[in-house]
Amino acid sequence: MYKIFNTVDEVSRYTAQRLFDQICAKPEAILGLATGSTMEPVYAQLMQYLEQDPVDVSRLTTFNLDEYIGLGPEHSQSYCYYMYQHLFNQLHIPGERVHLPDGTAENAEIACQAYSEAIQAMGGMDLQLLGIGTNGHIGFNEPQTPFDSRTHVIELTEQTRIDNGRFFTDQREVPTHAITMGIQEILEAKEVILVATGSKKAEIMAELYRCEVSEALPASVLKIHSNATIVMDKEAAALLPEEGDLAAKA
């Protein structure tokens, strides 16, 4: 379940290789994608693999985890903008196969239901990529989000808004709500890879390792997933046990 590498570069190469292998093995794969600074080198490395060994991506389908409410696709801090900047402008998946939550939907609840139904209609994800917040959220599923939740509107915690404030020129610009894929949809993915890098993730990764499965720490639900891998660099894993003990528990 746990894989620890020395550097961010090694983490990114490993994760990108897993994505590349999935695409090669199943050209019609359904991929669940994440955003954030952790994923930038992963997507950059994936594009390197695809340039070195081109494969047909025209049958891939993607669903993104989340989007801020109130930010349109042209906003530089929207996750739609992020995905096109870091992946879709280079990957060229057909537009109708790219799915992102609509942060400007007139009725967010209806948009959430439609998004969830689209995921279920496709049979769920073959591979779901995740990051983790410093409070243990996956997607934007904040602490105490029910494990049986599907795509929904979430009010962001103060901690999440502080953490994400570094991407905005003014902390007050950080949206207060988001649309996020639910924990149930994440659980239904055939394979999940959670990636954590950097010293700022060390405390939550240690807490995740020690804790029982609880809605108080949303990422803990991965402990009951049959095919979940948690990938870290040395900095994110700094407060975990030695690798021998870690392997024994995994």
Side-chain angles (χ1 to χ4, degrees), residues 35 64 66-68 71-89 98-103:
T35 55
N64 259 74
D66 43 30
E67 180 60 280
Y68 289 117
L71 300 191
E74 73 289 343
H75 192 288
S76 63
Q77 296 308 318
S78 76
Y79 292 144
C80 179
Y81 186 92
Y82 171 104
M83 289 304 303
Y84 278 90
Q85 287 292 110
H86 294 289
L87 189 63
F88 293 148
N89 284 339
V98 171
H99 300 84
L100 300 115
D102 183 358

Side-chain angles (χ1 to χ4, degrees), residues 88-119:
F88 293 148
N89 284 339
Q90 297 80 38
L91 194 57
H92 303 304
I93 299 172
E96 67 273 13
R97 292 182 173 272
V98 171
H99 300 84
L100 300 115
D102 183 358
T104 60
E106 185 174 339
N107 188 316
E109 298 295 343
I110 292 176
C112 287
Q113 183 177 349
Y115 200 75
S116 180
E117 289 173 354
I119 292 171

Side-chain angles (χ1 to χ4, degrees), residues 82-245:
Y82 171 104
M83 289 304 303
Y84 278 90
Q85 287 292 110
H86 294 289
L87 189 63
F88 293 148
N89 284 339
Q90 297 80 38
L91 194 57
H92 303 304
I93 299 172
E96 67 273 13
R97 292 182 173 272
V98 171
H99 300 84
L100 300 115
D102 183 358
T104 60
E106 185 174 339
N107 188 316
E109 298 295 343
I110 292 176
C112 287
Q113 183 177 349
Y115 200 75
S116 180
E117 289 173 354
I119 292 171
Q120 293 175 70
M122 296 297 296
M125 310 303 163
D126 290 298
L127 190 156
Q128 177 66 59
L129 193 60
L130 296 175
I132 184 171
T134 59
N135 64 359
H137 70 223
I138 47 177
F140 270 135
N141 293 288
E142 301 282 31
Q144 305 304 334
T145 300
F147 283 164
D148 62 356
S149 62
R150 293 196 178 274
T151 304
H152 59 282
V153 174
I154 190 83
E155 182 176 1
L156 303 179
T157 64
E158 181 180 2
Q159 184 60 57
T160 294
R161 295 184 71 241
I162 290 171
D163 289 346
N164 290 6
R166 69 188 188 278
F167 300 113
F168 293 80
T169 56
D170 187 328
Q171 180 72 38
R172 292 170 295 183
E173 295 177 359
V174 183
T176 60
H177 292 73
I179 292 176
T180 183
M181 194 184 294
I183 293 176
Q184 184 64 37
E185 287 146 338
I186 292 170
L187 269 180
E188 289 171 355
K190 298 177 180 67
E191 179 179 3
V192 177
I193 301 176
L194 184 149
V195 185
T197 57
S199 59
K200 290 182 179 179
K201 298 296 174 68
E203 288 189 12
I204 192 60
M205 296 313 295
E207 186 177 351
L208 174 60
Y209 174 80
R210 293 191 303 263
C211 76
E212 299 297 324
V213 176
S214 168
E215 290 177 353
L217 204 165
S220 68
V221 76
L222 298 183
K223 295 185 178 188
I224 63 173
H225 194 283
S226 61
N227 189 16
T229 305
I230 296 174
V231 187
M232 295 170 275
D233 68 348
K234 285 288 188 182
E235 289 189 354
L239 302 179
L240 271 65
E242 294 296 324
E243 287 189 49
D245 296 332

